[in-house]
Amino acid sequence: MAKDTQVDYLVMGAGVAGLRAAVELANHGEVLVVTKESLGESNTHYAQGGIAVAMQGEEDVALHLKDTIAAGDGLVWRPAAQTLVTEGPVRVAELIEWGAAFDKEGDKLLRTREGAHSLPRILHANGDATGAEISRSLVAFARAHMRIRFAEWTTVIGLVVTDGRATGADLLDRENNAERVSARAVLIAAGGAGQVYSDTTNPAVATGDGIALAAEAGAELADMEFYQFHPTALSLPGVPRFLLSEALRGEGAYLRNDRGERFMERYHPLLELAPRDVVARAITREGMGGAPGEARMVHLDMRHIKGQDLHQRFPGISAFLAQHGLDLSRDLIPVRPAAHYLMGGIKTDLAARTSLRALYAAGEAACTGVHGANRLASNSLLEGLVFGARAALSMLEDNLPLVAADAPEIVSMPLSASEELQVEEIVVKLQAAMWAYAGLLREEQTLREGFAAQKSCAQKLAELAAEGKGSRRLAEAQAMSRVAYSILASAMARTESRGAHYRNDYPKRDDRNFQKHSILGRQDRVVFEEW
Ligand SMILES: Cc1cc2nc3c(=O)[nH]c(=O)nc-3n(C[C@H](O)[C@H](O)[C@H](O)COP(=O)(O)OP(=O)(O)OC[C@H]3O[C@@H](n4cnc5c(N)ncnc54)[C@H](O)[C@@H]3O)c2cc1C
């Protein structure tokens, strides 16, 4: 039997966006923050390189805007990017006041540079553990608020919609107990969906649940074809795709192919600091053409960097590599691209409102238009801070009443062990299909194969979910399947190449027809809109 709870504000997700919103909301009402695992387990926690912020005056702000727009390949929505770069410094200063300790030399904040940034403006913490420090400081600050309650190890499995507005959500705890929570406003800050792909830098919680649930509830999605593949994840057999931050290239790392050549000069004048999509595709191409079934290895090379203690600058990365017998200053490090960041998501306006009343979205789950077709490195933590705060302000301003949910009560019967195993097998198939058919290089035929694989997975999952059966993993698998469909449909509709979306059959950018955002609406149909 499901319990019924009421709160003022329900926040799905405890990453940078959800926590930043929660601390604002708690000044005005009771907040429930729901997170699938412990508070620290989020994409935010794993962010390494840093947070891009223009704290060095007006010229810096103007250049940050210019770099963001350039990286987005013609699709950045300027008002959103303007908001990001102008409000960013205030939000970061506030975070520092709340206890976030960024790296300093004396009193001066240290700044590094990453790909496509015209100057060093990226703050970092503990060398390469920026996200962990942001998460730590926000969690500590939020915990001090009496009016924030946390539901850890709890999964949101559905949104409740009453009379065309969000009125709450259904939750499932670790023991499979269901609970319905009614709220005046619901914020989705549930992060990205890297787990949709077999190769990803994202942790296991990043299964796109928030995006899938919003779509299911009738909210529009935008720009779902734009998935950023990080060029340099560690490529060792049987080892997770651990991220090797762009800051390594910012500090001078080279990329070399299996013949030892620095190949980036053939692809872009900015060499290793070219936009991520260019570097990722270059690595993919350099890695092709080996023996059947075997990729040619591409390596990151920092052996030439002298006068800098790489272990001190990158302690987390160095420690992880050491576990596998590798050393940044001594060895070539094998790399390959991996799914990293979703530029698209739940379509929001500048105030983080979605197309569904009382439903708000912020952070990686949202599509504000800030990143366009390609995110500028280190802009996403900043987006979470700026638009997390904006979401809270909108939720307060809209001041909607609590409405008792009139939807039927949820039932969740546990799956058997063999059914859970079947779910896992379906997930693995879906992830492999998405990597093979909707990865870095796409074309009509591969996308069709992707659709067929997704359809078969969705059917099997629907059968398993019949008769009121449910579990966290089943809910995640259904979310991944829905997100996979959205990526495939948007990628099929965009018959051009732009930013992170590359079509072998349409290799050129087509501004006349496609300098527009893709919108996936209620009928699961893609339309293109100018913003
Ligand atoms: C390895 C790595 C390195 C990165 N490095 C950088 C960097 O240097 N700079 C930068 O700007 N960005 C970086 N990013 C991207 C950045 O970390 C994320 O985009 C950003 O942190 C997203 O924040 P968020 O608050 O939107 O979501 P997240 O931090 O991902 O938080 C999502 C939250 O939602 C919860 N959740 C999800 N589904 C459910 C559900 N069904 N029910 C309940 N809770 C749910 C999760 O448990 C989690 O608490 C990196 C990402 C990765 C993976």
Side-chain angles (χ1 to χ4, degrees), residues 244-260:
L244 297 167
S245 167
E246 191 148 333
L248 296 170
R249 280 173 284 132
E251 299 290 348
Y254 297 154
L255 285 165
R256 294 192 186 278
N257 61 19
D258 66 344
R259 294 178 296 284

Side-chain angles (χ1 to χ4, degrees), residues 15-27 88-102 133-145 148 384-386 388-390 392-393:
V16 59
L19 291 171
R20 179 59 189 83
V23 297
E24 195 81 41
L25 292 167
N27 295 324
V90 180
R91 293 296 171 221
V92 171
E94 197 176 58
L95 192 66
I96 293 172
E97 217 170 280
W98 296 347
F102 293 105
E133 175 58 14
I134 290 178
S135 176
R136 184 205 61 75
S137 56
L138 274 173
V139 166
F141 196 67
R143 276 200 194 282
H145 268 274
I148 303 181
L385 271 185
V386 167
R390 284 191 152 235
L393 295 174

Side-chain angles (χ1 to χ4, degrees), residues 11 62 194 213 333 351 406 482:
V11 176
L213 294 182
I333 314 293
D406 65 359
R482 183 155 198 132

Side-chain angles (χ1 to χ4, degrees), residues 30-328:
E30 300 293 328
V31 186
L32 177 65
V33 177
V34 187
T35 170
K36 258 194 306 196
E37 295 193 0
S38 64
L39 276 181
E41 189 60 11
S42 58
N43 273 9
T44 297
H45 175 82
Y46 292 98
Q48 296 176 346
I51 181 164
V53 60
M55 295 176 100
Q56 301 167 98
E58 271 174 35
E59 199 187 329
D60 192 9
V61 171
L63 278 174
H64 191 186
L65 179 63
K66 192 165 159 256
D67 293 345
T68 301
I69 289 174
D73 208 3
L75 263 201
V76 167
W77 189 39
R78 196 184 172 94
Q82 181 86 52
T83 304
L84 177 83
V85 298
T86 49
E87 290 182 11
V90 180
R91 293 296 171 221
V92 171
E94 197 176 58
L95 192 66
I96 293 172
E97 217 170 280
W98 296 347
F102 293 105
D103 294 335
K104 284 181 172 177
E105 203 165 55
D107 283 347
K108 229 173 132 248
L109 287 165
L110 287 173
R111 293 182 169 83
T112 192
R113 194 178 158 196
E114 291 186 320
H117 282 273
S118 53
L119 48 91
R121 63 164 72 90
I122 293 150
L123 305 184
H124 45 87
N126 299 316
D128 54 9
T130 313
E133 175 58 14
I134 290 178
S135 176
R136 184 205 61 75
S137 56
L138 274 173
V139 166
F141 196 67
R143 276 200 194 282
H145 268 274
M146 299 300 286
R147 291 210 277 188
I148 303 181
R149 194 158 63 80
F150 296 101
E152 292 180 77
W153 296 96
T154 301
T155 304
V156 178
I157 55 165
L159 295 176
V160 184
V161 178
T162 314
D163 296 332
R165 61 156 281 200
T167 52
D170 290 331
L171 319 183
L172 206 61
D173 73 9
R174 249 204 277 206
E175 278 77 45
N176 232 52
N177 298 312
E179 179 178 10
R180 170 154 296 164
V181 178
S182 300
R184 284 142 56 92
V186 178
L187 171 64
I188 296 190
Q195 289 290 327
V196 165
Y197 289 96
S198 53
D199 280 44
T200 181
T201 61
N202 289 191
V205 291
T207 48
D209 306 3
I211 298 165
L213 294 182
E216 188 85 34
E220 287 178 340
L221 306 184
D223 291 346
M224 290 295 291
E225 64 275 40
F226 295 115
Y227 220 112
Q228 183 171 81
F229 295 88
H230 198 288
T232 55
L234 182 63
S235 178
L236 286 178
V239 176
R241 296 280 160 261
F242 180 79
L243 181 75
L244 297 167
S245 167
E246 191 148 333
L248 296 170
R249 280 173 284 132
E251 299 290 348
Y254 297 154
L255 285 165
R256 294 192 186 278
N257 61 19
D258 66 344
R259 294 178 296 284
E261 294 162 1
R262 259 189 93 187
F263 56 85
M264 277 311 298
E265 48 205 39
R266 282 189 271 118
Y267 294 91
H268 200 278
L270 286 173
L271 307 174
E272 280 84 358
L273 291 179
R276 281 188 180 172
D277 61 298
V278 175
V279 182
R281 280 195 297 275
I283 292 177
T284 303
R285 293 208 165 96
E286 293 293 318
M288 286 174 169
E294 260 179 46
R296 288 184 161 145
M297 290 313 296
V298 169
H299 292 95
L300 202 65
D301 185 4
M302 297 191 90
R303 295 171 304 175
H304 56 283
I305 297 175
K306 308 286 175 220
Q308 158 135 239
D309 185 342
L310 295 175
H311 304 126
Q312 194 183 27
R313 174 67 183 87
F314 300 108
I317 293 174
S318 299
F320 190 88
L321 291 176
Q323 288 171 29
H324 301 284
L326 293 170
D327 183 328
L328 282 176

